[in-house]
Amino acid sequence: PIGTFRKFLTLRGEGDDNLQSMLVGTVMRKIKSRSWKKQRYFKLQEDCTTIWYKSKKAGNTHSTCKTTRLTDFSVSDVEAIREGHQSEVLLSIADEFPADRCFTLVFRGRRGNLDLVAESVEEAQSWIRGMKKLIENLENMGEREKLDQWIGDLFKKADKNKDGRMNFKEVRDLLKMMNVDMNEHHAHRLFTMADKSQSGTLEDDEFVLFYKMLTQREDLLKVFQDYSADGQKLSQSDLEDFLKEEQLEEDDFQQKAKQLIEHYEPSDTAKLLNAMTFDGFLMYLGSSEGSIFNPRRRGVFQDMSQPLCHYFISSSHNTYLMEDQLRGQSSVEGYIRALNRGCRCVEVDCWDGANGEPIVYHGHTFTSKILFKDVVSAVGKYAFKVSEYPVILSIENHCSIEQQRVMAQHLNHILGDKLLKTTLDGKVGLPSPEDLKGKILLKAKKIGGLEESFNGMVEDSLTGEASDEDEKTKQHLSKELSDCVVYCKSVHFSSFKHSRIHSKFYEVTSFTESKARKHLRDAAAEFVHHNSRQLTRVYPSGFRTDSSNFNPQEMWNAGCQIVALNFQTAGEGMDMNDGLFSQNGHCGYVLKPVFMREAAKRFDPEMPQNQDGYQPVILTIQVISGQQLPKVNIKEDSIVDPLVRVEIHGVPIDQAKQETRYIENNGFNPVWYDTLRFTVHTPELAMVRFVVEDYDKTSKNDFVGQYTLPLSCMQQGYRHIHLLSKDGTTIPPSSLFVHIRITKLDKPSSLS
């Protein structure tokens, strides 16, 4: 029932002093800068899922009245709490407020942090511990409880007069909020059926009943009844048939069916009969086991002991920028956010700063500046919070010899043992992510090669020369900084032929997206071969001053490992990146397909059918229905006209997109039953992106939600797709319900 979560939390709250103190409310200072520090009243709402804070704004000079402005946010929007001076803003006022009264709320997606100072250490601790408790409770919620919470939030919004019951007018407004366009007669009939007490209003359980009638899943009921012998329940043997014939589960079906009943069946009576009711079936298909993403591929499942160049590596471009490339703010927060998203290669543009301290910013632009040492501190602190595998610091060095020495001092002093300074014992060639766990590698120019460094041949000179990556100019380097570079020496690229004969395994080349595209056009197979032996970095064109991204897929098709994107910019590029790296434990490393790792294979993304072991597949997706799609237009009476587009991203011949028809005025439970079919020639590289849009015949469709994943991570059968926002954050309980089939295609002698 709807109140379960709240009652559970309120009960918890009753015995929890921290939550009690949050429910009473606290005055704290909200800090935006050294000069902007204002008092606000913060209070946890009774639902224990929303926090609001208010400020008093003075009226005009002739008026004595003050207006109160209320702002609120949901606990589920908060990703983490940082204690003490752990943001640039709080560090800037460290001399004024002690660390034990300061904390930062970090929000999901790309929303700015909330920096707070409490009046006392006790109050700060109350909020820190209380928020952690609330977040932990939310993380432990199942799909059903999340749905209850969503219904409760809607109830609260629609209950305009706050009397805890809902009259028919409030219910009609609620339906609009929920994206439901229902004729008044039908809505009134459901309302009357649910109003058991005949009071003309719906209270707790009556509202739940109304919601259940509203959300009856006919699409799922049909599947359930197809497999149920008596139409009432699935016996264990019925469920085994479903798992075998529809879901194509590879496990022991008997064991799997038992486990699903045990885990998802709410009725104890059904459990005793080893059976699953429709409610249990709903719970199973709404869970992670019923989702499109294969749970076996969630954790680290790949071989992590191959050379670094055999992996795609999650990588960020101009990591310090929070906005555009010309005037945007530079911030240490950019590094923290990227690393917390599993990024394993971050970029640092270094320039001479005042007082002998190197600074980081986008040179020759109006972007703000931050200290190099602050960046190194943040990287040292956050590098291994979400992944233990190595982080590469890609340095663009514009500093004088003197400040390069300061850079080397900071790297050594701040990172200590985390900084890789010597080659690994007994290793010939590039080490693996496994070998380099917990290590930070510097990618930069270097005097001489690894061989000279460790044979003592550069010992006497304090400075040396190195060629620039992009031009053939010489740059003076300090020996101290050069010595910090081991396995990632930045070099200029001449040609694939030159590299094949002369290049060393530890040399890394960098290309702009346009240069990389030219190499792909002129010599795709050579490019793949080059990347089977050494690392390549590709970064966005300098013309992308708005920090937009290219689609990384075309670079992955060539086996480029370090495809650097603007992490601060939401959209297709980052959806693809998040999708590829959502597998393998979100660790930031994904093993390339075998035909891209073995130099002898000569894979050509332009001609995949010539590949040894070439096995095309047919991907059939039946888009069945959608559930509780978010509103995109804030106008109260506008309702979504949803359509679903499925995009295949992969080698050029696999690039394709198809759409369902649009359903008029129904974002709540649209039903399509539209079937889309794709031929995929290189499934190992294919990514599948589901995009839901609000159809508009006069202008561009509005984005509603998306979900992107590798084809190799898809589960077959009846599956739910839990949609993500433009920012890549979850938007429960929005989902699509689909049926997936992947079948091998008889190999044609040539491609049509």
Side-chain angles (χ1 to χ4, degrees), residues 35 72 114 119 136 168 208 259 408 462 509 540 568 573 688 698 711 745:
S35 55
D72 69 1
L114 184 57
E119 296 293 297
E136 184 192 347
F168 183 62
V208 172
Q259 175 217 323
L462 292 174
T509 45
Q568 72 273 34
V688 185
T698 55
L711 176 60
L745 181 68

Side-chain angles (χ1 to χ4, degrees), residues 483-729:
D483 282 352
C484 294
V485 179
V486 184
Y487 288 116
C488 298
K489 175 186 176 177
S490 299
V491 297
H492 174 76
F493 178 79
S494 303
S495 69
F496 289 127
K497 185 178 178 184
H498 180 273
S499 291
R500 213 165 48 243
I501 300 164
H502 300 289
S503 70
K504 306 282 199 298
F505 66 87
Y506 52 81
E507 292 177 340
V508 184
T509 45
S510 284
F511 301 113
T512 64
E513 57 177 291
S514 46
K515 282 249 180 77
R517 264 187 215 110
K518 184 179 186 310
H519 291 313
L520 253 172
R521 275 196 309 272
D522 298 346
E526 283 282 352
F527 206 170
V528 174
H529 179 256
H530 173 87
N531 288 330
S532 69
R533 293 166 37 250
Q534 48 203 125
L535 290 167
T536 295
R537 178 173 179 269
V538 181
Y539 57 96
S541 145
F543 296 116
R544 292 182 182 272
T545 53
D546 59 350
S547 294
S548 60
N549 283 312
F550 56 89
N551 187 326
Q553 183 70 48
E554 53 184 332
M555 308 309 168
W556 295 331
N557 289 341
C560 299
Q561 303 86 351
I562 303 174
V563 180
L565 297 178
N566 292 306
F567 268 52
Q568 72 273 34
T569 308
E572 182 190 67
M574 277 308 296
D575 291 347
M576 296 288 295
N577 203 73
D578 289 345
L580 178 70
F581 293 102
S582 59
Q583 61 181 316
N584 210 30
H586 274 98
C587 77
Y589 286 84
V590 167
L591 190 62
K592 296 198 280 189
V594 65
F595 52 76
M596 296 187 118
R597 308 196 301 260
E598 295 177 9
K601 292 278 189 199
R602 311 301 283 177
F603 172 72
D604 184 344
E606 299 290 334
M607 302 286 284
Q609 72 277 25
N610 295 346
Q611 177 52 39
D612 286 352
Y614 164 65
Q615 177 56 73
V617 299
I618 299 278
L619 170 64
T620 308
I621 298 171
Q622 186 182 39
V623 179
I624 299 171
S625 62
Q627 291 76 43
Q628 288 104 354
L629 303 176
K631 274 180 87 80
V632 287
N633 197 318
I634 41 184
K635 281 196 214 134
E636 267 200 19
D637 55 351
S638 93
I639 287 176
V640 172
D641 301 333
L643 64 81
V644 180
R645 184 172 64 252
V646 177
E647 305 169 352
I648 307 293
H649 298 263
V651 295
I653 198 171
D654 287 344
Q655 300 282 359
K657 53 181 74 167
Q658 292 179 37
E659 288 179 355
T660 64
R661 69 218 140 89
Y662 70 91
I663 304 289
E664 217 163 312
N665 280 346
N666 187 352
F668 185 70
N669 53 0
V671 175
W672 290 277
Y673 282 104
D674 285 0
T675 300
L676 314 176
R677 240 179 225 95
F678 301 91
T679 301
V680 184
H681 296 275
T682 311
E684 300 89 340
L685 282 172
M687 301 286 295
V688 185
R689 184 168 183 253
F690 294 84
V691 186
V692 182
E693 286 183 344
D694 179 10
Y695 172 77
D696 192 322
K697 58 175 175 287
T698 55
S699 62
K700 192 171 176 286
N701 292 350
D702 284 323
F703 173 90
V704 174
Q706 69 83 31
Y707 188 79
T708 308
L709 79 166
L711 176 60
S712 61
C713 293
M714 278 171 101
Q715 298 206 88
Q716 299 193 58
Y718 288 102
R719 302 291 173 187
H720 276 103
I721 297 168
H722 300 284
L723 293 171
L724 303 175
S725 69
K726 206 178 191 77
D727 238 0
T729 55

